[in-house]
Amino acid sequence: MNQTPSAPTASTHGAVLHDEVRPAWSAEVVSWLLGSPLSGQRLAVLDLGAGTGLGTRTIATLGHAVTAVDTSTNMLSVLQTSCQELPSEVANRITALTGSAEYIPLGEQSLDAIICLQAWHWVEPEQATAECDRVLKPNGMMGMAWHTWDRTNEWVQALAAIVEPNGTPTDQTLSVPEELAGRGTFERKEYPLNYELTVDQLVQLASSWSYVAKRPDRNVVLTKIRSLGEQAASPHTGLVRFPHITAAFRLKQPGQPVVG
């Protein structure tokens, strides 16, 4: 792994927790976001808002050179540590750079594809779109995705009743972000994700959600979530099944062949 010489700030506890309890990104989803490249085709990819590199590692494992960009040195330090456990040929495809969607530290038209996973809602859209246009090659691929709860599942509905006292929030994954509309043909695809975790991991995950962390009754909420998890945990594995749907978008620009 290549990394810019910037030291991580104070504590990486929150970043480590993020990496341990958030769901990963499958090769199937990532390959589709990249435009379903042919076997053996190697792309230069940006993982924008990469965090701890849950998607970065998948991109590199697929054989592509990937630059992970994030504002948090804590997050990138966790990615660096995780790369020590990867095969060297995979880790060597990963470069981590401190930056943002509004300032991408890469040259003009240097990328075949940009992926933004669970992060576009944090950006300043006009500046971010302009930066993506700058670094992406003509006819390059733009993909973004979010892991969302499968709200058709009764257990998920019970969880939502605990953490969403004001009702279900607006689903941002039903349409492409407004600033990207009109740039080509956006395709949308959903993938089921049966995420499994321990009861302790479920509670840790819930504690990392900002809308839970900020509640004055946070501890009461987490106790209720633990109880819900204990009721649902498999007696054989101790794991709780937390059904998700991965909502994915990719931009097919005019004249750009996309298969799959």
Side-chain angles (χ1 to χ4, degrees), residues 13-14 38 76 79 98 111 115 123 152 168 208-209 236 248 253:
H13 173 73
L38 299 175
L76 295 178
L79 170 58
T98 304
L111 299 167
I115 285 183
V123 311
T152 66
T168 304
S208 73
W209 298 333
H236 305 292
Q253 297 180 347

Side-chain angles (χ1 to χ4, degrees), residues 118 146-153 155-164 168-169 171 205-206 209 211-212 225 242-246:
Q118 209 85 17
W146 289 267
H147 293 316
T148 65
W149 298 359
D150 181 357
R151 294 178 181 271
T152 66
N153 179 271
W155 184 86
V156 174
Q157 293 170 7
L159 176 65
I162 295 172
V163 301
E164 296 172 349
T168 304
D171 186 349
L205 175 63
W209 298 333
Y211 50 86
V212 171
I225 292 173
F242 190 169
H244 280 65
I245 294 171
T246 301

Side-chain angles (χ1 to χ4, degrees), residues 10-194:
S11 170
T12 60
H13 173 73
V16 170
L17 177 62
H18 177 102
D19 196 67
E20 290 177 346
V21 301
R22 296 294 175 107
W25 298 89
S26 71
E28 181 183 15
V29 170
V30 170
S31 181
W32 187 84
L33 290 170
L34 293 174
S36 305
L38 299 175
S39 177
Q41 185 180 1
R42 301 300 181 228
L43 305 178
V45 182
L46 168 63
D47 186 1
L48 186 60
T52 61
L54 290 169
T56 302
R57 283 167 261 173
T58 304
I59 297 167
T61 299
L62 288 170
H64 307 295
V66 53
T67 302
V69 169
D70 201 274
T71 59
S72 170
T73 53
N74 283 335
M75 291 285 190
L76 295 178
S77 72
V78 175
L79 170 58
Q80 183 180 33
T81 299
S82 72
C83 283
Q84 298 172 9
E85 301 175 2
L86 296 174
S88 59
E89 66 272 17
V90 175
N92 290 338
R93 299 186 190 116
I94 297 174
T95 300
L97 300 175
T98 304
S100 68
E102 297 78 22
Y103 175 70
I104 300 172
L106 295 172
E108 295 185 8
Q109 298 186 7
S110 58
L111 299 167
D112 298 302
I114 297 173
I115 285 183
C116 186
L117 303 173
Q118 209 85 17
W120 188 261
H121 54 285
W122 296 111
V123 311
E124 198 294 312
E126 291 187 5
Q127 292 182 36
T129 301
E131 273 290 86
C132 289
D133 287 344
R134 182 183 66 80
V135 299
L136 198 59
K137 293 178 182 178
N139 296 328
M141 177 62 64
M142 179 77 184
M144 56 185 62
W146 289 267
H147 293 316
T148 65
W149 298 359
D150 181 357
R151 294 178 181 271
T152 66
N153 179 271
E154 290 185 3
W155 184 86
V156 174
Q157 293 170 7
L159 176 65
I162 295 172
V163 301
E164 296 172 349
N166 298 321
T168 304
T170 301
D171 186 349
Q172 62 187 341
T173 72
L174 295 179
S175 60
V176 67
E178 180 180 350
E179 59 277 1
L180 295 174
R183 291 174 173 267
T185 302
F186 259 97
E187 301 171 302
R188 185 181 187 276
K189 194 169 183 178
E190 291 187 351
Y191 296 84
L193 173 63
N194 291 321

